[in-house]
Amino acid sequence: MVVSPSAGVDNTARQYLANLPADPNDANAPSVNQNLLPLTAKVNDRDTLEIGGCDVATLVAQFGSPLFILDETSLRTACRQYYQTFQQHYEGPFQILYASKAWSCLAIATIVASEGLGMDVVSAGELHTAVQAGMVPEKIYLHGNNKSQLELEYAIEVGCTIVVDNWWELRTLQELARDRENVPVMLRFTPGIECHTHEYIRTGHIDSKFGFDPDSLDGVLQALQEAPQLRCVGFHAHIGSQIFELQPHQDLTKILVQWYQKAQQAGLPVSEINVGGGLGICHTEAEHPPKIQQWVQVVCEGIQNACREANIDLPKLLCEPGRSLIGTTCVTAYTVGSSKEVPGIRKYIAVDGGMSDNARPITYGSEYRAAIANRMSVPANETVTIAGKHCESGDILIADARLPASEPGDVLVVMGTGAYNYSMASNYNRIPRPAAVLVNNGEANTILQRETYQDLLRQDRLPQRLIAPSQ
Ligand code: LLP
């Protein structure tokens, strides 16, 4: 993380501020994935956290809590950091795709599209969101290890590229596209690359449910030669998520170029390579992911070197980051409620959300940092465990958090909640999903409305016989 000069001695939440210029066009701006708080975060005269020029406590008073607060400047800056580094380091064409599984909604899709990004979608629902946001089909790539026939038909209709994952899908597509020409497909293979991250989010190793096994490369290429209705544009691989090493991505570029060259030799019209996503972010000050710029440079140089050695033209290079684009651009604000002291063991303080708006701690054991938004300069002298409100002992957002003394009604923000929080939210315990606001230059706009109790009943149907018992 980018630390302020006082870090190490600063025992307050101020230590988490990026403390740096927030101009999205400033090439020297900090890499967005290395900060805990959004770039525009600052502390105002009332000692309250401000994001995008909006006072977080006031936002909670206005929009309620829990509340996702998304900083437009940080998101646009992250997009530009990817874009500008590609421009600087890649000599061929390129396309950055936003992995919308990290957080898919119309406003986010619209922002990334306006920054020139395309979208990786992984279901008809995400595809529909991309289309509704006006994303052009040439910039949409559909993934998935078990796409339904409906999803494939929808993708063909839309005209996006389908990333074929397995034999069954290839056969189904050959059939569905039989009366068409040039349906664009990309091939996903498992590269056999191990990386260090949580086992649930590793995808590059051979024993993965995603992608063709590399041994089937010849067979797949032959099948495509015999399927003129499908136009194979190239190869895709994704090795995992929340990765801090650069080496596995460098290794991946070599493997992708080898497959690509083989497909070229087999006479397929390939022109694209997609290296997936996976760059990690900082969730605590102890984590040090590489900069976006470093990751992009490694990927660009890897592909360029491998192409030079193989003596082939540069492909269009694609990547599809999710977490590193949006993870640190957002915080979740909660209201502090009850507390419980277990003498000699710990103090719990409970907030008005939890595992239904952030499933990552209970799912992956992920760590987060928090601050009391209305007490940013008060030393964090208490160790407390921040509990959610769900009927489940494991619903703990942060164990042993360092915070200043808090009271019911205080606003607690959890940092770095932009990726895989809202997108994995549930209605567990019939709790409505929170609202999300987009903040920029002192303006806050709702981008996702808070669910109502009536929304929770939207899908409920009551069979008549339960209402009118038989005589
Ligand atoms: N491309 C593909 C094919 C993917 O499967 C993923 C993530 C990405 C790109 C984007 O990866 P990123 O840049 O965000 O690391 N729910 C988990 C993460 C699951 C990641 C799934 N695939 C979590 O909360 O950590």
Side-chain angles (χ1 to χ4, degrees):
M1 109 157 205
V2 181
V3 283
S4 64
S6 54
V9 290
D10 192 346
N11 183 21
T12 75
R14 281 176 175 272
Q15 68 180 295
Y16 302 127
L17 299 176
N19 225 357
L20 286 152
D23 176 359
N25 294 310
D26 179 353
N28 297 317
S31 181
V32 173
N33 66 322
Q34 293 185 325
N35 296 293
L36 280 170
L37 279 168
L39 298 182
T40 62
K42 56 183 193 193
V43 178
N44 63 24
D45 308 342
R46 295 181 306 280
D47 201 27
T48 304
L49 177 64
E50 223 177 79
I51 299 176
C54 297
D55 178 301
V56 167
T58 309
L59 289 177
V60 167
Q62 193 182 346
F63 295 94
S65 66
L67 182 67
F68 286 94
I69 301 170
L70 175 61
D71 180 36
E72 187 171 340
T73 298
S74 296
L75 179 56
R76 289 191 184 278
T77 304
C79 293
R80 290 173 200 187
Q81 287 177 342
Y82 268 99
Y83 200 92
Q84 286 167 4
T85 320
F86 265 98
Q87 268 184 329
Q88 275 166 23
H89 293 279
Y90 197 63
E91 289 155 27
F94 65 88
Q95 179 64 57
I96 301 147
L97 309 174
Y98 165 59
S100 68
K101 71 209 77 183
W103 191 355
S104 166
C105 67
L106 290 177
I108 293 173
T110 304
I111 292 173
V112 299
S114 74
E115 293 293 334
L117 273 62
M119 257 159 87
D120 138 12
V121 297
V122 77
S123 66
E126 287 183 1
L127 175 55
H128 185 61
T129 307
V131 170
Q132 290 301 309
M135 184 67 77
V136 292
E138 297 75 38
K139 291 188 179 181
I140 306 178
Y141 288 69
L142 174 67
H143 288 284
N145 69 314
N146 191 22
K147 304 174 189 78
S148 68
Q149 181 158 329
L150 207 91
E151 286 175 321
L152 292 172
E153 281 168 349
Y154 183 27
I156 293 174
E157 211 45 58
V158 165
C160 66
T161 302
I162 301 170
V163 185
V164 184
D165 189 272
N166 53 63
W167 278 110
W168 182 75
E169 186 182 325
L170 183 54
R171 300 286 178 228
T172 311
L173 262 180
Q174 280 172 333
E175 217 19 57
L176 292 175
R178 68 185 173 282
D179 299 328
R180 310 233 174 196
E181 279 174 15
N182 284 328
V183 171
V185 298
M186 192 169 228
L187 300 172
R188 176 168 186 171
F189 274 82
T190 315
I193 290 178
E194 304 278 339
C195 53
H196 297 104
T197 186
H198 193 285
E199 65 167 311
Y200 292 179
I201 53 178
R202 281 190 296 148
T203 48
H205 53 303
I206 292 293
D207 180 9
S208 159
K209 70 170 185 169
F210 297 105
F212 286 100
D213 187 86
D215 286 345
S216 49
L217 181 61
D218 291 336
V220 174
L221 295 181
Q222 195 180 337
L224 279 162
Q225 283 166 323
E226 292 158 11
Q229 68 274 43
L230 305 179
R231 178 167 49 91
C232 176
V233 301
F235 287 89
H236 167 274
H238 170 74
I239 58 176
S241 201
Q242 185 63 350
I243 299 172
F244 285 16
E245 304 149 294
L246 291 170
Q247 191 62 43
H249 282 102
Q250 196 172 344
D251 297 344
L252 177 65
T253 57
K254 291 198 192 110
I255 296 174
L256 280 163
V257 171
Q258 279 166 16
W259 296 338
Y260 183 83
Q261 192 179 18
K262 253 194 140 176
Q264 260 190 345
Q265 286 162 351
L268 292 171
V270 287
S271 57
E272 300 184 8
I273 284 183
N274 184 338
V275 296
L279 173 62
I281 65 168
C282 167
H283 278 299
T284 73
E285 65 286 357
E287 290 173 313
H288 304 284
K291 282 175 178 244
I292 290 172
Q293 294 88 332
Q294 289 170 302
W295 187 90
V296 172
Q297 199 172 336
V298 159
V299 163
C300 293
E301 283 170 5
I303 296 285
Q304 276 168 179
N305 291 341
C307 286
R308 209 166 294 131
E309 271 169 39
N311 201 18
I312 56 176
D313 288 344
L314 289 180
K316 179 173 181 180
L317 178 54
L318 291 92
C319 69
E320 46 194 28
R323 194 189 311 267
S324 53
L325 273 175
I326 200 149
T328 60
T329 69
C330 179
V331 301
T332 308
Y334 302 93
T335 302
V336 173
S338 66
S339 62
K340 173 182 175 178
E341 185 109 35
V342 187
I345 300 185
R346 70 174 70 243
K347 179 176 176 185
Y348 288 97
I349 65 168
V351 294
D352 53 355
M355 62 187 282
S356 61
D357 58 75
N358 186 356
R360 301 194 71 259
I362 197 167
T363 312
Y364 313 111
S366 308
E367 288 186 41
Y368 284 87
R369 287 290 180 260
I372 301 291
N374 47 314
R375 223 161 281 155
M376 290 296 286
S377 310
V378 178
N381 288 337
E382 276 203 353
T383 301
V384 293
T385 288
I386 303 170
K389 64 176 276 145
H390 297 82
C391 278
E392 181 136 342
S393 300
D395 177 28
I396 299 295
L397 284 174
I398 309 178
D400 300 328
R402 297 289 298 166
L403 288 179
S406 59
E407 316 170 345
D410 278 341
V411 174
L412 180 136
V413 289
V414 174
M415 304 168 205
T417 56
Y420 307 107
N421 277 229
Y422 193 93
S423 64
M424 288 169 65
S426 74
N427 289 130
Y428 184 41
N429 295 159
R430 285 237 148 169
I431 292 186
R433 282 182 300 172
V437 289
L438 181 71
V439 291
N440 193 22
N441 281 332
E443 207 181 300
N445 305 103
T446 301
I447 57 169
L448 285 157
Q449 256 182 335
R450 184 176 306 284
E451 279 178 337
T452 63
Y453 296 122
Q454 204 48 41
D455 289 333
L456 296 175
L457 296 177
R458 197 179 50 203
Q459 306 303 114
D460 286 28
R461 298 293 177 273
L462 197 53
Q464 193 59 31
R465 66 188 174 78
L466 296 183
I467 306 169
S470 52
Q471 300 294 314

